[in-house]
Amino acid sequence: MRILLVGPPGAGKGTQARQLAERLEVPHIASGDLLRGAIAEGTELGLAAKAYMDRGDLVPDELMIRFIADRVSEPDADGFVLDGFPRTDAQALALDEVLERIDRPLDKVIHLDVPNEEIVDRLSGRRMCPTCQRAYHVKYDPPQEPGRCDEDGTELVTRPDDAPETVQHRLDVYHSATKGLLRHYDRDGVFSCVDGIGTVDEVAARIHKAIGIEG
Ligand code: AP5
């Protein structure tokens, strides 16, 4: 199955995509995680992307498109849960083109709908594992041991772009650059809007229903 999750920063895309990918036994392809990995490795892309990400701006399309087109074309990506890409009309058109060329069409596009006030609350309490990139929340989804990742024991960090002024900018960027995406996908029967308010399990159940899987 090939699923795309779209929605504002902090909507819970990564949290849901990670669990859904495990459930479907497909890779979770997250543009933000891939970029943070590239920064940690000091690759050319990572070096080019870092300043944009720290400011909460989008990384230029020409860098992103080649990067993600390569990833969705890899042999293990016959099924996937994609999160964070596309974010602009140009990226959406490029994704359509590459998926058509490799005959891997999207089965479902899920829009996670969460209002701005909730997002500010979620991102102010987010803590992230720099090793496996799993997100936690100090109140809504805390790790078993405070400040440590359940998966690998790494000390959790706050993402630089979760500073309140950067969050507001990311929301503005989303609403100006990314909203056209909803129109792009709301056309061919694959699009569903899911209410992203509620517990992680409640939202997961709505997503499962929208894509037609049990439980
Ligand atoms: P990226 O990493 O993709 O960030 P984002 O889209 O802003 O999304 P987030 O990771 O902030 O949030 P999320 O929706 O995954 O929420 P999460 O599950 O963590 O991108 C970062 C940057 O990279 C961009 O700003 C840009 O610079 C660049 N970039 C990436 N892709 C790009 C592209 N295609 N083009 C150009 N540039 C690109 O949840 C958030 C918090 O809420 C967590 O603490 C979580 O525990 C908690 N939470 C989750 N679900 C719930 C719930 N139901 N109830 C309560 N709390 C919850």
Side-chain angles (χ1 to χ4, degrees):
M1 222 173 199
R2 287 174 291 273
I3 310 286
L4 169 64
L5 287 186
V6 295
K13 302 181 299 297
T15 302
Q16 295 296 335
R18 182 186 185 91
Q19 295 185 3
L20 184 60
E22 263 175 39
R23 164 81 191 263
L24 298 173
E25 299 183 355
V26 296
H28 169 204
I29 302 177
S31 55
D33 291 352
L34 291 171
L35 288 168
R36 282 182 288 277
I39 291 172
E41 285 168 20
T43 66
E44 205 178 315
L45 173 73
L47 293 174
K50 186 171 185 322
Y52 294 99
M53 293 176 73
D54 286 350
R55 285 197 303 268
D57 286 329
L58 294 181
V59 175
D61 285 341
E62 59 274 22
L63 295 178
M64 291 309 302
I65 288 170
R66 201 183 46 199
F67 187 46
I68 299 295
D70 287 350
R71 180 64 189 93
V72 296
S73 305
E74 284 175 16
D76 71 331
D78 192 28
F80 54 73
V81 180
L82 179 59
D83 131 40
F85 184 97
R87 265 169 147 101
T88 63
D89 293 345
Q91 292 180 14
L93 291 169
L95 184 67
D96 286 352
E97 207 176 285
V98 69
L99 293 180
E100 191 177 336
R101 179 160 40 80
I102 60 179
D103 195 21
R104 290 179 174 173
L106 293 171
D107 295 299
K108 203 79 200 173
V109 178
I110 303 285
H111 170 224
L112 264 188
D113 189 20
V114 178
N116 283 5
E117 314 78 72
E118 172 82 10
I119 280 165
V120 171
D121 186 36
R122 286 186 185 181
L123 291 184
S124 65
R126 174 162 62 182
R127 300 293 179 270
M128 176 72 86
C129 172
T131 303
C132 71
Q133 311 253 10
R134 179 169 164 188
Y136 296 86
H137 192 282
V138 290
K139 193 161 60 173
Y140 306 124
D141 188 13
Q144 283 160 14
E145 183 188 339
R148 298 251 161 223
C149 178
D150 294 348
E151 313 286 336
D152 49 43
T154 306
E155 193 174 340
L156 303 179
V157 297
T158 301
R159 261 172 55 174
D161 57 347
D162 281 347
E165 59 285 4
T166 315
V167 167
Q168 189 51 55
H169 181 60
R170 285 163 62 202
L171 283 167
D172 293 344
V173 168
Y174 171 79
H175 288 295
S176 64
T178 313
K179 263 204 155 167
L181 281 186
L182 306 186
R183 283 192 297 277
H184 181 88
Y185 287 111
D186 190 12
R187 60 186 156 102
D188 47 13
V190 297
F191 182 82
S192 291
C193 186
V194 166
D195 180 4
I197 294 290
T199 65
V200 170
D201 288 347
E202 285 165 350
V203 176
R206 290 179 205 133
I207 293 175
H208 293 172
K209 190 166 175 213
I211 64 177
I213 60 173
E214 293 283 315

